[in-house]
């Protein structure tokens, strides 16, 4: 009789534990760190893919984390030109001054070390196969691969949420970004 009363009680505890784990999983969102200026390009709708050396099997909402590193920012050359900023011309745009940005984006418009938006992961395709599945991406300068994570429904947060990034996919508690998601703005 002791075994019988102990068995169901243990079963109830296991069910409670599983329910708690499921709730924890639902309260977490997946995130991916993308270095600048590429996170900003995603948020502007100019970069519909993110390149990785590994295949992403996850599909669904993905928080965009702008990495804190500035290593991917191309420094201006001695002539005041930047290969990404103002190709073939001196960088003297009134919008951002003497070459302080890349891809024409002022550094002041980029967040670093912060959750900056959310997108939908639609697919992950080898770069060599992407044109067959997504003809609209043919010739896109950001399709490099080897794996291309196809993003859609990109939404920008009104302001970045400081957050420490990680390599690969990582979890962020939904409560951290709930308000930002509700007030986010759709990208064109």
């Amino acid at each position: 009789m002791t075994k019988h009363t102990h068995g169901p009680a243990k079963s109830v505890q296991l069910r409670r534990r599983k329910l708690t784990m499921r709730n924890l999983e639902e309260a977490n969102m997946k995130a991916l760190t993308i270095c600048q200026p590429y996170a900003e390009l995603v948020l502007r709708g100019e970069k519909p893919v993110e390149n990785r050396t590994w295949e992403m099997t996850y599909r669904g909402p993905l928080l965009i984390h702008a990495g804190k590193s500035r290593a991917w920012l191309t420094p201006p050359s001695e002539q005041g030109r930047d290969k990404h900023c103002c190709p073939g011309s001196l960088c003297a745009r009134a919008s951002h001054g003497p070459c302080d940005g890349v891809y024409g984006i002022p550094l002041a418009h980029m967040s670093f070390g912060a959750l900056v938006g959310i997108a939908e992961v639609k697919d992950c395709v080898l770069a060599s196969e992407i044109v067959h599945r997504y003809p609209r991406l043919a010739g896109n300068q950001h399709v490099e691969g080897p794996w291309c994570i196809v993003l859609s429904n990109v939404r920008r947060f009104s302001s970045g949420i400081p957050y420490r990034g990680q390599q690969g996919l990582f979890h962020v508690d939904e409560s951290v970004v709930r308000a930002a998601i509700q007030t986010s703005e759709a990208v064109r």
Side-chain angles (χ1 to χ4, degrees):
M1 189 163 215
T2 307
K3 285 184 177 181
H4 183 62
T5 46
H6 178 60
K10 188 172 184 178
S11 175
V12 169
Q13 284 179 332
L14 287 174
R15 273 185 264 152
R16 283 186 188 145
R17 188 176 303 147
K18 286 179 183 176
L19 178 63
T20 304
M21 289 302 291
R22 185 170 52 241
N23 290 343
L24 275 175
E25 288 171 7
E26 289 171 1
N28 285 316
M29 297 190 69
K30 298 211 186 272
L32 183 68
T33 295
I34 302 175
C35 293
Q36 291 290 24
Y38 305 108
E40 182 62 28
L41 289 170
V42 167
L43 294 174
R44 290 173 178 232
E46 297 174 22
K47 187 173 188 282
V49 298
E50 174 57 17
N51 300 291
R52 290 289 188 245
T53 57
W54 45 271
E55 180 181 12
M56 179 187 285
T57 57
Y58 172 75
R59 304 295 182 270
L62 178 73
L63 294 170
I64 309 277
H65 177 267
K68 69 178 183 175
S69 171
R70 294 176 186 237
W72 289 93
L73 299 175
T74 305
S77 71
E78 296 171 6
Q79 293 85 24
R81 294 181 186 178
D82 182 318
K83 72 175 187 174
H84 297 301
C85 185
C86 302
S89 66
L90 289 175
C91 187
R93 288 183 175 179
S95 64
H96 66 272
C99 214
D100 69 341
V102 290
Y103 286 100
I105 304 168
L107 290 177
H109 291 190
M110 294 185 220
S111 295
F112 295 88
L115 297 165
V116 293
I118 187 167
E120 186 82 17
V121 175
K122 289 307 221 186
D123 207 352
C124 185
V125 184
L126 283 168
S128 60
E129 299 173 8
I130 201 161
V131 177
H132 303 295
R133 290 172 87 170
Y134 298 94
R136 67 181 170 81
L137 296 176
N140 184 291
Q141 67 177 336
H142 299 293
V143 174
E144 297 175 8
W147 289 98
C148 298
I149 301 166
V150 181
L151 303 170
S152 66
N153 302 322
V154 179
R155 299 183 64 82
R156 176 191 293 273
F157 295 162
S158 57
S159 62
I161 301 167
Y163 203 87
R164 184 183 175 131
Q166 298 175 30
Q167 290 186 341
L169 283 177
F170 61 97
H171 294 280
V172 175
D173 188 290
E174 189 265 341
S175 65
V176 172
V177 293
R178 184 179 301 129
I181 290 171
Q182 290 172 350
T183 61
S184 62
E185 297 175 25
V187 174
R188 55 183 163 100

